[in-house]
Amino acid sequence: MEIESGSYQNIAKKESWRTVLTLAYQSLGVVYGDLSISPLYVYKSTFAEDIHHSESNEEIFGVLSFIFWTITLVPLLKYVFIVLRADDNGEGGTFALYSLLCRHARVNSLPSCQLADEQLIEYKTDSIGSSSMPQSGFAASLKSTLEKHGVLQKILLVLALIGTCMVIGDGVLTPAISVFSAVSGVELSMSKEHHKYIELPAACVILIGLFALQHYGTHRVGFLFAPVILLWLMCISAIGVYNIFHWNPHVYQALSPYYMYKFLKKTQSRGWMSLGGILLCITGSEAMFADLGHFSQLSIKIAFTSLVYPSLILAYMGQAAYLSQHHIIESEYNIGFYVSVPERLRWPVLVIAILAAVVGSQAIITGTFSIIKQCSALGCFPKVKIVHTSSKIHGQIYIPEINWILMVLCLAVTIGFRDTKRLGNASGLAVITVMLVTTCLMSLVIVLCWHKSVLFAIVFVVFFGTIESLYFSASLIKFLEGAWVPIALAFCFLLAMCTWHYGTLKRYEYDVQNKVSVNWLLSLSQTLGIARVRGLGLIHTELVSGVPAIFSHFVTNLPAFHQVLVFLCVKSVPVPHVRPQERFLVGRIGPKEFRIYRCIVRFGYRDVHKDDFEFEGDLVCSIAEFIRTEAETAATAAETNGEDDDRMSVVGTCSTYMQGIEDHYESDIDDPDKPGTSEIRSPKPKKKSKSKVKKRVRFVVPETPKIEKETRQELMELTEAREGGVAYIMGNAYMKAKPGSGLVKRLAINIGYEFLRRNTRGPRNMLTSPHASTLEVGMIYNV
């Protein structure tokens, strides 16, 4: 399925206030789940080992001051007021920033980019700034330097991949620390001897249930997410207000930066090391930017400034007020969250906390699925199975392989660490690394995309980079105490992603170097006596020009192909969405009588691919529309003289043109005499199953004298070919490093890339082509 119309409604952010407030309410469950549950473990992680709570209260007030200013400067100032404005046509996240830079500086990592892609509407549209604005001298020189030096482009790509890998690591660690911290509240309700036997099994059971229910999709229980987080925020803010007035009404004085100075002066290096625990108060801040595509800038800003920010500040102030009057440490947990909760409310708050932890974990898991899909679309991650769990809500996906890998890793770190201290050290490093990557990429976006002063970019990167580097160093020092986990996870994922990207580029280079000319194909029919058989042949290729080597390998060994031949290239472009009217690029290969076409199907990195039957119908419709419009345009009606397809026409999907070629189908559930619509639709599942639909497609060619006889004949042949059956011819390339290649290249190609290729989805799975209609042609690529 493809949510073409709905996806663009998400981008047009001109909503009424009612819609904005509704989106702000819904964003609580999706965007702020992780950030809202941070009070569960921040104080406990901070006071775990490095510093101790003394009767002078300098430590607790200093920590509160750090928490207040960290939340104010990073989520509020950096993300809400600056980073959220750097959206990529409504989309956010690390790869959205990288995509912006790809378009403005032409540092695209995709090898199949074309000049025609730059004519896409969204390619030229930016929320702030315009590519047509004159660039300053520094911006122009920076752009020129990036475009000339391939090493800088690779560094930029690796930087974006490091941020992506740390997001994946966060997808492992956040569910672990959130659920474990929520469940640990049972410690105050039972004896020490018993709670340790309940805590870990309960956390593991909740985590297994959380990952096991992912395939149902968040839309089935998503309506509960926002109420749970809203209830949680009201709960912690109310408890915070109670603790402030009941225990220490003067705790607000600790918000002064002076207490940060007193804290560091007294604790010195131990206080610096404790910043790794304070850092956890901003976990989930990146979700405000990463989940921007599901909401709008205004709705996310309203939700944070009006509800999330004050609730968190009140919650931390309330905990500090309680702890300032309680200095006797009977157990490790007396510095945690639940001890500040009134005893009669502990069990209800425990239940709400567990629900909130599940919601917060769900948000980061969904975000992990989303960013992996973006990486895969841009050729930086192996092809994986992507299941769209909702046909109405844009962006809700499920990736089975990643889901189970995350579950195993999450259970491993939970069972291995068994405490929030080391889990917090690991989670903190992952979080701050993503923020550092965002800061670095944002500094380039400010100069290259927004065309702002380089002084503004320097101030931005120095101010926020200094704050984040301070927290990063404090987290990195805990390498042996848990911080090694996100580094190890990021290294493994980064190695796999770089290997896949390198192998993909080498494969494309081989295709380009070994492609054959159209003249060779035309002359081959005379020397080999190639036969044309009934039907429509789709040759899947990565090339945007020329005839791929895989087809020459096929036709020289089996000299026959279909009466209508289409070289099909399905590629991603560095924009979040491609509009339906710009989906297809269609051209002709050779003279008209050869009936050979090239069709390039363009998808954005967040577009939803169609199923095989609907995609097939749109593809044939686009070719038919190209034939019709080509005949109407005098400039393109001339013979191509056998040259390659330099001319490509932009053709939309069936639903984008109301006149001309229409595509109808007949099924067992519909009246065959009843006219269909111009878009193929799946039948309603309540009446009949999808298997009942017959693949009988006919085109309604307008009865008008404007269509010439030759054009009508070509359209009829296309119709007959479609009715004769569609065959998918795909290459199955086995990659081998050339003799004499270096050790690193042999390891990357012969072992790494081939292992990933064999254990991930191939082109047939990505196109969801039917098994009975697919022919795979094997070929060894010596790269």
Side-chain angles (χ1 to χ4, degrees):
M1 38 189 168
E2 181 171 22
I3 319 164
E4 287 189 328
S5 59
S7 62
Y8 301 103
Q9 292 171 2
N10 287 339
I11 298 173
K13 303 292 173 68
K14 296 180 180 179
E15 303 102 338
S16 63
W17 276 106
R18 180 178 179 181
T19 305
V20 169
L21 294 177
T22 302
L23 288 174
Y25 168 74
Q26 293 173 345
S27 70
L28 293 175
V30 178
V31 177
Y32 296 110
D34 189 10
L35 185 62
S36 299
I37 58 178
S38 57
L40 285 172
Y41 43 78
V42 169
Y43 280 112
K44 184 177 180 181
S45 298
T46 305
F47 288 91
E49 182 180 14
D50 302 308
I51 57 176
H52 302 285
H53 182 34
S54 65
E55 293 188 5
S56 66
N57 287 328
E58 289 183 353
E59 292 86 359
I60 192 66
F61 288 161
V63 170
L64 174 61
S65 184
F66 263 104
I67 290 173
F68 171 76
W69 286 107
T70 302
I71 296 178
T72 302
L73 293 177
V74 179
L76 184 62
L77 180 59
K78 176 186 172 182
Y79 281 94
V80 170
F81 290 108
I82 301 176
V83 175
L84 281 182
R85 303 170 69 196
D87 65 300
D88 182 15
N89 292 288
E91 299 296 335
T94 304
F95 258 83
L97 294 177
Y98 179 71
S99 174
L100 280 174
L101 294 173
C102 284
R103 300 207 303 274
H104 285 81
R106 294 190 179 180
V107 293
N108 193 2
S109 62
L110 296 171
S112 59
C113 56
Q114 298 172 278
L115 288 176
D117 298 337
E118 298 182 12
Q119 303 303 316
L120 292 170
I121 294 175
E122 294 201 11
Y123 203 102
K124 299 181 290 184
T125 304
D126 295 316
S127 59
I128 295 181
S130 173
S131 57
S132 61
M133 288 178 61
Q135 293 184 330
S136 63
F138 180 82
S141 61
L142 178 61
K143 177 182 176 182
S144 177
T145 304
L146 283 174
E147 292 176 352
K148 289 179 181 178
H149 296 83
V151 175
L152 295 179
Q153 298 179 19
K154 292 177 182 177
I155 292 175
L156 194 63
L157 175 62
V158 170
L159 188 65
L161 293 181
I162 289 174
T164 300
C165 293
M166 284 298 180
V167 171
I168 298 174
D170 198 20
V172 173
L173 297 166
T174 293
I177 189 174
S178 301
V179 173
F180 193 85
S181 300
V183 173
S184 63
V186 300
E187 180 179 5
L188 297 177
S189 303
M190 56 181 63
S191 63
K192 267 190 175 182
E193 293 75 18
H194 295 107
H195 88 265
K196 61 182 179 180
Y197 298 109
I198 298 295
E199 200 173 55
L200 185 62
C204 291
V205 168
I206 293 173
L207 289 171
I208 292 173
L210 174 65
F211 285 100
L213 294 175
Q214 288 299 310
H215 69 281
Y216 290 109
T218 57
H219 68 286
R220 297 184 184 275
V221 291
F223 66 95
L224 292 175
F225 285 5
V228 167
I229 297 300
L230 179 61
L231 181 62
W232 169 251
L233 289 173
M234 293 175 63
C235 177
I236 61 174
S237 58
I239 293 173
V241 171
Y242 168 79
N243 285 329
I244 291 171
F245 285 100
H246 188 266
W247 296 110
N248 191 348
H250 301 288
V251 73
Y252 68 89
Q253 297 176 355
L255 302 182
S256 169
Y258 175 68
Y259 285 87
M260 297 165 60
Y261 167 75
K262 291 180 63 177
F263 171 78
L264 292 176
K265 183 179 179 180
K266 179 179 181 179
T267 58
Q268 297 182 356
S269 61
R270 293 180 294 107
W272 165 67
M273 294 175 66
S274 70
L275 294 179
I278 297 174
L279 163 66
L280 298 177
C281 70
I282 53 174
T283 57
S285 299
E286 186 72 21
M288 285 192 288
F289 186 44
D291 293 327
L292 182 59
H294 303 291
F295 304 98
S296 64
Q297 291 184 26
L298 185 58
S299 62
I300 290 178
K301 290 178 179 179
I302 289 175
F304 183 78
T305 54
S306 64
L307 183 61
V308 179
Y309 178 75
S311 297
L312 290 176
I313 298 301
L314 288 174
Y316 287 117
M317 289 177 64
Q319 289 185 63
Y322 177 88
L323 294 173
S324 66
Q325 302 299 320
H326 297 78
H327 303 95
I328 301 175
I329 307 293
E330 297 177 357
S331 67
E332 181 192 10
Y333 206 85
N334 273 20
I335 207 73
F337 168 76
Y338 288 101
V339 71
S340 64
V341 178
E343 190 171 351
R344 288 178 295 181
L345 298 177
R346 281 177 184 167
W347 278 106
V349 170
L350 175 65
V351 174
I352 299 173
I354 293 175
L355 291 176
V358 170
V359 172
S361 303
Q362 175 64 55
I364 191 64
I365 292 170
T366 304
T368 304
F369 292 158
S370 179
I371 200 167
I372 287 177
K373 178 182 180 295
Q374 295 177 26
C375 291
S376 180
L378 295 177
C380 297
F381 198 88
K383 303 298 182 183
V384 290
K385 181 180 181 180
I386 297 175
V387 179
H388 297 274
T389 57
S390 174
S391 60
K392 296 180 180 179
I393 304 176
H394 167 65
Q396 291 194 356
I397 60 174
Y398 165 68
I399 305 177
E401 300 95 327
I402 301 299
N403 181 67
W404 302 123
I405 290 174
L406 290 179
M407 187 191 77
V408 171
L409 293 174
C410 188
L411 290 174
V413 297
T414 304
I415 296 172
F417 287 156
R418 303 186 185 186
D419 61 38
T420 54
K421 171 191 164 186
R422 287 180 291 179
L423 284 172
N425 293 337
S427 180
L429 184 61
V431 168
I432 199 62
T433 304
V434 178
M435 293 182 177
L436 273 171
V437 170
T438 300
T439 300
C440 295
L441 294 178
M442 268 299 303
S443 63
L444 295 175
V445 169
I446 289 171
V447 177
L448 295 176
C449 306
W450 291 359
H451 311 297
K452 301 293 183 182
S453 169
V454 66
L455 182 62
F456 179 40
I458 292 175
V459 170
F460 177 86
V461 74
V462 169
F463 181 73
F464 292 107
T466 301
I467 297 172
E468 290 161 1
S469 297
L470 182 66
Y471 283 113
F472 179 80
S473 60
S475 298
L476 196 59
I477 203 70
K478 303 291 184 64
F479 181 82
L480 297 178
E481 301 173 28
W484 61 270
V485 172
I487 295 177
L489 290 175
F491 177 77
C492 293
F493 279 105
L494 183 64
L495 186 64
M497 293 164 79
C498 290
T499 300
W500 181 262
H501 184 65
Y502 176 74
T504 302
L505 290 179
K506 287 298 178 183
R507 177 175 176 174
Y508 188 82
E509 288 176 5
Y510 182 91
D511 280 333
V512 171
Q513 294 169 1
N514 293 273
K515 69 180 180 180
V516 297
S517 65
V518 179
N519 292 330
W520 175 89
L521 179 64
L522 300 178
S523 62
L524 193 67
S525 60
Q526 300 175 357
T527 56
L528 290 180
I530 294 178
R532 304 293 291 267
V533 297
R534 189 170 183 262
L536 176 65
L538 299 181
I539 315 295
H540 182 265
T541 176
E542 302 293 332
L543 295 177
V544 294
S545 64
V547 177
I550 204 79
F551 180 71
S552 62
H553 179 69
F554 165 75
V555 80
T556 51
N557 289 278
L558 184 64
F561 53 83
H562 297 81
Q563 68 184 94
V564 175
L565 201 63
V566 180
F567 289 94
L568 175 65
C569 175
V570 179
K571 72 171 190 176
S572 295
V573 290
V575 294
H577 304 282
V578 176
R579 297 172 182 263
Q581 58 266 33
E582 300 176 311
R583 176 76 65 208
F584 295 95
L585 274 177
V586 184
R588 190 186 297 277
I589 298 179
K592 282 187 177 182
E593 58 269 16
F594 273 76
R595 305 296 190 250
I596 303 176
Y597 309 93
R598 179 181 305 283
C599 186
I600 300 173
V601 189
R602 302 178 292 184
F603 287 97
Y605 57 79
R606 297 208 64 169
D607 274 332
V608 181
H609 291 223
K610 294 190 173 186
D611 57 42
D612 59 314
F613 186 41
E614 192 174 358
F615 173 79
E616 199 176 279
D618 267 351
L619 176 67
V620 178
C621 252
S622 67
I623 297 173
E625 185 67 11
F626 164 76
I627 295 170
R628 187 183 69 85
T629 54
E630 183 191 40
E632 293 179 354
T633 307
T636 58
E639 290 292 336
T640 59
N641 297 322
E643 296 180 357
D644 199 1
D645 50 337
D646 294 330
R647 305 186 190 93
M648 301 289 288
S649 299
V650 178
V651 183
T653 58
C654 288
S655 58
T656 59
Y657 40 85
M658 302 305 296
Q659 296 179 352
I661 308 302
E662 295 184 1
D663 192 7
H664 299 284
Y665 74 96
E666 298 172 2
S667 66
D668 292 337
I669 64 169
D670 294 325
D671 184 3
D673 297 327
K674 188 176 180 179
T677 63
S678 61
E679 184 178 6
I680 301 177
R681 300 183 184 274
S682 302
K684 294 182 179 180
K686 292 181 179 180
K687 295 182 179 180
K688 293 273 185 172
S689 65
K690 215 173 195 177
S691 60
K692 296 295 183 180
V693 178
K694 293 181 180 179
K695 287 192 176 181
R696 293 184 58 195
V697 179
R698 59 188 177 86
F699 294 105
V700 177
V701 182
E703 295 292 341
T704 169
K706 291 184 179 180
I707 297 185
E708 300 176 356
K709 182 179 180 181
E710 183 182 359
T711 303
R712 186 177 297 277
Q713 177 63 29
E714 189 174 0
L715 290 172
M716 294 306 297
E717 288 186 22
L718 180 63
T719 305
E720 292 172 4
R722 170 69 189 274
E723 291 177 349
V726 179
Y728 292 81
I729 303 175
M730 301 188 178
N732 194 354
Y734 297 86
M735 302 269 286
K736 284 188 177 180
K738 289 180 179 179
S741 299
L743 177 62
V744 175
K745 184 176 180 180
R746 292 202 305 273
L747 290 174
I749 298 297
N750 297 346
I751 298 177
Y753 181 82
E754 278 300 299
F755 173 80
L756 294 173
R757 186 191 63 81
R758 287 193 301 267
N759 292 278
T760 51
R761 293 164 65 84
R764 179 180 60 80
N765 303 102
M766 298 310 296
L767 273 180
T768 62
S769 57
H771 292 268
S773 305
T774 303
L775 176 64
E776 290 191 1
V777 181
M779 187 174 177
I780 297 177
Y781 282 21
N782 291 307
V783 299

